[in-house]
Amino acid sequence: MNQKVKRTVAICLAAGMLSSMLVSAGAVQENTAYNQMLAKQEAAGDIYTSLYTGRWDHQQVNGFDGNYSVYVPANFEYCSPGVMILTPDGMTAADWLDSALGQAWQATADESGIALVVAEPHGGRWNVHQQSDQRDDQAYLYGIYGKLTSKSDANPSAFDLNERALYLVGYGEGGTAANKMAMLWPALFAGAVSVGGEAVPSDVADTLGDTISYPFAEASTAGREENNLPNREIPVRTWQIEIGETSLKDNISYWLEANGLSSASKEMTNAYATVVTNLDQDGSELPEQVWYSSAASEDAVEPSVIYHEFLENAQRFVGDPGGYLEWTVQHTNDGTHGFFLSEEEVNGYTRRWYTYVPESYDGSKGVPLVVAMHGYSSAISAFTGDSRWQNVADKYGFIVVFAQAYVNDGAYGRGSCIPVPIWNNYSPVYIHTTTDSPDDVGFIKHLVDVTKADYSIDASRVYATGHSNGSAMTWMLAQDAPEYFTAVAPIGFNWGSYPGYTTSGGTVDYSGCADNEYLLPVWCMTGEFDVGEADDYSPNTKNGKTVSYWKEMNGANSVGIKTTEIRATRAPHTYNTTTYCGENNAPLVRFTQISNNCHSYMEDISFMVWEEFFSQYSRGKDGTLYYNGQMVEKTDKSLAETFTDVSGHWAQDAIASAVDELGLFAGMDTNTFAPNDTMTRAMFTAVLYRMDINAQASSCTNAFTDVPESAYYANAVTWVVDNRIAAGASTTTFEPNKAITREQMAAILYRYAQFKGYSTVVGGVSLSKYTDADQISAYATDAMQWANNAGLITGKTDTTLEPTGNATRAEVATILLRFCENIGK
């Protein structure tokens, strides 16, 4: 079969993969009740700095020999950067931290609020030549990475690392080991520096570079086979520093290739190194760069220079295969425009947020407002880099508030994780509605009110969006504060966030959810390799039930319109969107399946949400919703009830079910279904495409000259052909307007059933009772036998099948209803 297998459950590399650390011989975290520590920090006014700081030596990864040390400065805030440092041969991690160079790095960490993780070789030597009888250094360092990204409170040196900003530095032979680690796990690091050491042996570099990567390594091991992406094709911003007689020429060549740099790339020098870089279309430098220089000694290039001049300027994000590099967002302002950090007490809790004011804002007129919420254990400083909503605001002239979740320990079971920022909402995964948790709905409402008071905001255009745990928070706002928002876009998590929401035996209880008086357009998105159910929106999934709930809540049309769009900031993604409309074709409910994407919120998503959704909606003072200036009212009338030509028809009930329950058909116009009209190949393809809720077109184009890209059936044709469900009439034509015959319909359904993995065993009653059975084409014989025995296609009379006769819209509605009830249930 040609059906793509998906990893619907992302495997978190940070959790469960490695055993717990051994007890530290260094400083030990204070064994104080969480609420006592929380009260202490609240009193000091520094809730957003880590509860756990200090130094931990002699940390280990079970199954591996060798120690590492962790240093977290007192000013380390949640979701902040970290630097992994590899010591030279013959030096332990603890001794290196005590050295002059180690002290200089600790001073840089203190100044910058970053964490340090220092790893040492086994037996005093790094396994440079990858010898099988020595420690696998890359596996050991990857084990450390697993510890760094774990939030388990069983880990004595746990801290909340910003995985977008993990950097790698190696000294001496540790520099060689650092290059090896970056070659094998490039997607983990936003930058790598080698200070001294020899070049990685060419045979080792070739082996590491040719190894197929885990393209979404920061979030999931999924997608490896699908992408088949060699490590050497994933860029890593790197600085190669030669010391004395050492030569890193071969490493420089490797990284030039990995970063896509060639003789056409710009070469320049700064105060520290020669820099090879590519330029963006506007002439600005791109972060895929190779720096190289030489120095007299390892400590000649100061840690503060390595960090501030090189490492901290770039971050890596997981949205594209292999991740993509971006310049770090500078949270600055000129007194009027830019990022403004606010912190004040709200309902007894110290709350924080960024307000981003675009250059175009002058206060002369009201501008829209977008509230953006980060995910679990993240922070506003990270989410500005993930979503880049400030770039959308700059282009279209509106204000963005990036809201910070409060620090708590409620995710995945109270007490099992270190305290990190987490939104307090109803989701069964993130549930944390306890007495020591803040009212986050109240906090977001406060942000909207304060922003309206401080800036000129168009009150008719206020929107909310969030990722992951922030997506759950967005759903909660949609339920509990719909009067505050015009439209919402929850990204990466669909579990409802409804009061009283429970699951039992696969059923969903919405009994605690009131029917809101406000129409609230919603657009949710998940990636192909996302967490949980990923991009599966089948009716019995949580994703599908969330969509069904909001279709009913908004009174949206049951017929989903599918569209495909390709966008690319760094790498192309295909966005397959299903839209359920209300009055005036207003897209009241949308869900999007993003191809080759994991658990991420990308800049492209922000632009799409604004350009194709938020910007089209406004709300009147009385709560009335407007779509492109036209009023939209909620309707409870089913689509089938609008048809004047269905009542009394032999297929009336089947048509009603196919239209209203399954959402397969739209009318020929507002009042006409045309049940006796012939079904065309285009119509049948489009209906089948709708029937498979997870069907996705691989692109926006196809090879058929008679299928316009703008046609309503274009994506459906691409999908059926790509998956060998149907074929063209020739290599260049599809004949979309030609009537489909009953045997053609049987053959397409037969191949579709095989595509879905349903049984297509041919057996049972023979077709010999039909006098026209010999008229069935050879290609359709098995299909017609299967369809007849399965009760899908019965005779036109007791003795005739009419295999070459045209199928009507009523017949197709009946046959597809039988398919859904008996085959695809």
Side-chain angles (χ1 to χ4, degrees):
M1 290 188 300
N2 194 36
Q3 187 178 19
K4 179 166 58 176
V5 177
K6 296 180 180 179
R7 275 67 167 171
T8 56
V9 179
I11 304 170
C12 181
L13 299 179
M17 186 173 288
L18 302 167
S19 300
S20 299
M21 287 185 175
L22 298 181
V23 177
S24 168
V28 178
Q29 293 173 356
E30 188 178 0
N31 185 20
T32 308
Y34 169 71
N35 287 335
Q36 292 176 324
M37 291 186 290
L38 196 63
K40 178 181 178 181
Q41 288 221 307
E42 274 284 21
D46 59 351
I47 183 62
Y48 297 104
T49 58
S50 177
L51 292 176
Y52 305 136
T53 60
R55 174 174 164 179
W56 296 266
D57 292 320
H58 310 298
Q59 302 297 284
Q60 294 184 342
V61 176
N62 284 1
F64 293 92
D65 293 321
N67 298 320
Y68 67 92
S69 295
V70 175
Y71 177 71
V72 181
N75 60 345
F76 182 87
E77 295 193 347
Y78 293 97
C79 198
S80 287
V83 180
M84 180 183 287
I85 301 173
L86 311 187
T87 73
D89 278 357
M91 182 165 285
T92 67
D95 288 344
W96 186 88
L97 268 178
D98 289 334
S99 71
L101 190 55
Q103 292 295 310
W105 266 107
Q106 289 179 75
T108 299
D110 291 339
E111 172 198 2
S112 308
I114 61 173
L116 303 179
V117 180
V118 183
E120 65 187 40
H122 173 230
R125 297 180 64 85
W126 291 101
N127 186 6
V128 172
H129 293 277
Q130 206 74 356
Q131 296 181 9
S132 60
D133 60 345
Q134 297 182 23
R135 185 184 71 182
D136 185 338
D137 290 337
Q138 286 72 53
Y140 174 65
L141 294 173
Y142 182 71
I144 295 177
Y145 171 79
K147 289 296 187 181
L148 300 185
T149 54
S150 171
K151 306 299 187 297
S152 171
D153 61 5
N155 179 353
S157 58
F159 61 93
D160 186 14
L161 172 71
N162 181 356
E163 296 165 39
R164 309 154 191 80
L166 176 62
Y167 308 100
L168 182 63
V169 178
Y171 286 94
E173 296 81 5
T176 308
N179 270 316
K180 285 178 58 185
M181 184 61 183
M183 290 173 179
L184 185 60
W185 290 101
L188 301 185
F189 303 102
V193 180
S194 173
V195 186
E198 298 293 340
V200 176
S202 58
D203 59 329
V204 175
D206 287 342
T207 298
L208 299 176
D210 291 338
T211 300
I212 302 304
S213 75
Y214 289 96
F216 308 114
E218 291 167 289
S220 165
T221 57
R224 189 183 191 195
E225 296 177 3
E226 289 83 351
N227 282 279
N228 196 34
L229 179 65
N231 286 321
R232 66 170 68 250
E233 295 182 12
I234 300 175
V236 176
R237 189 167 182 259
T238 182
W239 186 359
Q240 303 291 314
I241 304 174
E242 296 177 341
I243 302 297
E245 299 298 321
T246 63
S247 174
L248 297 174
K249 180 179 179 180
D250 289 345
N251 286 345
I252 293 170
S253 298
Y254 179 97
W255 291 119
L256 287 172
E257 178 184 352
N259 284 281
L261 302 171
S262 65
S263 57
S265 303
K266 182 177 180 180
E267 183 172 299
M268 56 190 179
T269 58
N270 57 30
Y272 309 101
T274 299
V275 179
V276 184
T277 183
N278 276 334
L279 301 179
D280 209 343
Q281 294 179 348
D282 61 2
S284 61
E285 296 176 27
L286 291 171
E288 292 85 357
Q289 296 181 340
V290 172
W291 291 28
Y292 60 91
S293 61
S294 59
S297 63
E298 290 180 354
D299 57 359
V301 183
E302 297 178 355
S304 61
V305 170
I306 291 176
Y307 185 71
H308 293 303
E309 300 297 331
F310 182 74
L311 293 178
E312 72 172 347
N313 297 320
Q315 294 183 329
R316 184 183 292 279
F317 301 102
V318 302
D320 292 332
Y324 62 94
L325 296 173
E326 286 284 5
W327 295 118
T328 303
V329 174
Q330 303 302 311
H331 300 102
T332 59
N333 65 74
D334 61 8
T336 305
H337 307 100
F339 288 96
F340 295 87
L341 178 64
S342 298
E343 197 169 281
E344 67 176 70
E345 184 173 306
V346 180
N347 297 326
Y349 295 86
T350 303
R351 305 310 299 261
R352 172 185 284 188
W353 65 93
Y354 274 134
T355 303
Y356 183 77
V357 183
E359 189 70 28
S360 60
Y361 176 81
D362 60 11
S364 62
K365 62 178 181 179
V367 300
L369 170 64
V370 173
V371 178
M373 291 162 285
H374 62 77
Y376 167 70
S377 78
S378 188
I380 52 178
S381 57
F383 198 52
T384 59
D386 287 345
S387 67
R388 307 277 164 157
W389 264 105
Q390 65 275 11
N391 294 350
V392 189
D394 282 336
K395 183 174 181 178
Y396 292 104
F398 58 85
I399 286 176
V400 186
V401 169
F402 294 92
Q404 174 69 56
Y406 199 72
V407 179
N408 229 314
D409 66 341
Y412 310 111
R414 173 174 284 274
S416 64
C417 301
I418 63 171
V420 293
I422 176 174
W423 295 104
N424 175 23
N425 57 66
Y426 300 125
S427 161
V429 172
Y430 296 107
I431 193 164
H432 193 63
T433 52
T434 60
T435 56
D436 60 349
S437 302
D439 172 11
D440 278 335
V441 171
F443 168 54
I444 298 299
K445 290 166 68 174
H446 173 79
L447 288 189
V448 173
D449 292 339
V450 166
T451 308
K452 286 179 179 179
D454 292 344
Y455 297 92
S456 181
I457 299 297
D458 180 352
S460 72
R461 304 179 69 192
V462 180
Y463 314 93
T465 185
H467 181 238
S468 192
N469 176 227
S471 178
M473 191 63 220
T474 306
W475 285 122
M476 186 173 181
L477 292 170
Q479 177 59 44
D480 288 2
E483 72 277 11
Y484 266 72
F485 301 99
T486 310
V488 298
I491 309 299
F493 190 84
N494 298 316
W495 209 334
S497 302
Y498 310 122
Y501 177 96
T502 60
T503 59
S504 177
T507 63
V508 178
D509 174 19
Y510 294 122
S511 60
C513 199
D515 185 13
N516 289 326
E517 61 179 300
Y518 291 91
L519 270 178
L520 186 64
V522 299
W523 189 357
C524 53
M525 300 188 191
T526 51
E528 179 180 4
F529 302 112
D530 217 318
V531 298
E533 296 166 338
D535 64 345
D536 185 358
Y537 282 80
S538 301
N540 289 327
T541 63
K542 300 178 186 70
N543 289 342
K545 289 175 180 177
T546 301
V547 171
S548 295
Y549 173 86
W550 282 96
K551 283 167 58 181
E552 182 177 353
M553 177 76 84
N554 284 333
N557 193 327
S558 57
V559 178
I561 301 171
K562 291 189 176 186
T563 56
T564 296
E565 180 177 354
I566 296 178
R567 288 201 175 216
T569 300
R570 293 299 177 106
H573 288 282
T574 302
Y575 293 80
N576 288 279
T577 300
T578 301
T579 301
Y580 301 93
C581 295
E583 289 186 338
N584 298 318
N585 289 319
L588 295 177
V589 179
R590 279 180 167 172
F591 71 84
T592 294
Q593 300 155 298
I594 310 173
S595 71
N596 212 11
N597 178 250
C598 62
H599 194 54
S600 65
Y601 197 127
M602 302 177 293
E603 181 179 2
D604 286 339
I605 292 175
S606 301
F607 271 98
M608 285 184 69
V609 167
W610 178 260
E611 293 171 344
E612 302 173 21
F613 196 60
F614 283 174
S615 64
Q616 298 172 340
Y617 281 107
S618 61
R619 193 182 294 283
K621 291 183 179 179
D622 62 353
T624 301
L625 185 70
Y626 293 87
Y627 174 67
N628 290 328
Q630 294 184 302
M631 185 172 66
V632 182
E633 291 184 321
K634 184 175 180 178
T635 175
D636 294 326
K637 192 174 184 179
S638 72
L639 183 59
E641 289 175 341
T642 68
F643 299 138
T644 60
D645 58 352
V646 171
S647 179
H649 193 277
W650 68 266
Q652 175 181 342
D653 291 342
I655 292 171
S657 295
V659 170
D660 289 329
E661 295 177 16
L662 301 179
L664 302 184
F665 286 80
M668 299 299 285
D669 57 43
T670 304
N671 301 115
T672 306
F673 183 80
N676 298 321
D677 281 10
T678 299
M679 192 80 170
T680 66
R681 284 166 55 83
M683 290 177 186
F684 187 76
T685 301
V687 169
L688 191 65
Y689 188 50
R690 293 187 195 121
M691 187 169 76
D692 190 329
I693 194 72
N694 292 311
Q696 301 179 22
S698 59
S699 68
C700 299
T701 59
N702 57 72
F704 301 120
T705 58
D706 57 354
V707 179
E709 186 176 325
S710 60
Y712 75 89
Y713 52 83
N715 287 336
V717 169
T718 300
W719 172 71
V720 295
V721 172
D722 283 352
N723 291 289
R724 299 180 182 179
I725 297 169
S730 71
T731 56
T732 58
T733 60
F734 188 77
E735 296 185 353
N737 297 319
K738 188 174 181 178
I740 193 167
T741 67
R742 286 162 59 83
E743 68 176 7
Q744 288 172 345
M745 179 173 56
I748 292 174
L749 277 177
Y750 182 69
R751 289 192 289 267
Y752 175 70
Q754 292 176 324
F755 167 75
K756 296 296 290 183
Y758 305 143
S759 174
T760 55
V761 175
V762 175
V765 180
S766 167
L767 298 180
S768 59
K769 70 176 182 178
Y770 297 110
T771 59
D772 55 357
D774 59 348
Q775 297 178 20
I776 301 173
S777 301
Y779 77 87
T781 301
D782 285 348
M784 189 63 87
Q785 175 83 49
W786 164 78
N788 183 257
N789 288 334
L792 303 181
I793 299 178
T794 56
K796 293 285 283 189
T797 69
D798 290 341
T799 59
T800 60
L801 268 175
E802 292 190 18
T804 59
N806 296 334
T808 67
R809 287 169 57 83
E811 288 175 336
V812 172
T814 303
I815 290 167
L816 292 183
L817 179 62
R818 291 170 181 164
F819 183 96
C820 292
E821 291 177 341
N822 301 321
I823 307 298
K825 58 184 177 180

